[in-house]
Amino acid sequence: MKRIKSFEVDHNTLQIGMYISRVDDDIVTYDLRMVKPNGGVYLDSAGMHTVEHLMATFLRNSEFEKNIIYFGPMGCRTGFYLLLAGDYESEDIISLLREMFEFVCHFEGEIPGAAPEACGNYLDQNLPMAKYLAEKYLEHVLTGITPDRLKY
């Protein structure tokens, strides 16, 4: 069986960052790596779930809404994937990502979709942790991002 591209990336050397994982036709997959792979610290399930709800809502209400294919967590709990339709480089979406992470940092109120009729695990939410994760990524990745954190 053929190995998929994401398993060909050396996760022992991969750092936190915002990478283009792959490009298929006009779909760009971004790897929003929030913690170092195999580093012993992984994203909290409830915080990660809240990040997913808030960011997916933000993206589908942004200027990129028609280009959003998918936003969701990595199974290894080290980050998220963002899939966009179009011909984008990492530099093209940095401002969108900053706005998105700031949105989470400053969010107040009820978490969108955190209700039994809208989510299959609606009680698994943690807004304070989501804010912490977003703030940390903004500070350590998106503020002053360097080219080595944009491509594998």
Side-chain angles (χ1 to χ4, degrees):
M1 197 174 292
K2 192 166 76 168
R3 249 176 99 162
I4 63 172
K5 293 229 183 234
S6 63
F7 294 158
E8 293 176 4
V9 175
D10 185 352
H11 286 69
N12 290 317
T13 60
L14 188 60
Q15 299 295 313
I16 63 170
M18 183 196 106
Y19 307 100
I20 290 180
S21 176
R22 60 185 294 155
V23 178
D24 299 292
D25 299 320
D26 269 351
I27 298 175
V28 183
T29 300
Y30 292 94
D31 172 335
L32 307 181
R33 194 65 61 153
M34 297 180 74
V35 297
K36 184 173 176 16
N38 303 313
V41 175
Y42 303 97
L43 299 176
D44 166 77
S45 176
M48 191 175 197
H49 191 196
T50 303
V51 166
E52 176 194 12
H53 276 241
L54 293 173
M55 290 190 181
T57 299
F58 175 86
L59 287 166
R60 288 179 176 85
N61 286 281
S62 75
E63 63 187 87
F64 284 79
E65 70 177 310
K66 292 189 183 334
N67 300 80
I68 302 302
I69 303 293
Y70 173 77
F71 178 84
M74 295 177 182
C76 60
R77 295 183 14 238
T78 60
F80 293 86
Y81 287 117
L82 169 62
L83 280 72
L84 288 176
D87 184 21
Y88 297 105
E89 294 294 327
S90 294
E91 296 84 358
D92 299 333
I93 67 160
I94 290 173
S95 62
L96 171 71
L97 293 182
R98 282 187 185 128
E99 287 178 45
M100 180 173 74
F101 279 88
E102 286 171 3
F103 172 77
V104 175
C105 286
H106 302 294
F107 186 83
E108 296 294 333
E110 291 191 28
I111 299 161
E117 63 276 2
C119 177
N121 193 7
Y122 75 100
L123 294 175
D124 187 36
Q125 301 284 343
N126 186 334
L127 183 56
M129 179 57 78
K131 289 180 171 196
Y132 169 79
L133 295 172
E135 184 177 311
K136 188 174 173 187
Y137 194 74
L138 260 174
E139 179 183 333
H140 295 286
V141 176
L142 295 176
T143 300
I145 194 163
T146 55
D148 64 313
R149 297 293 171 97
L150 295 174
K151 294 190 170 94
Y152 290 140

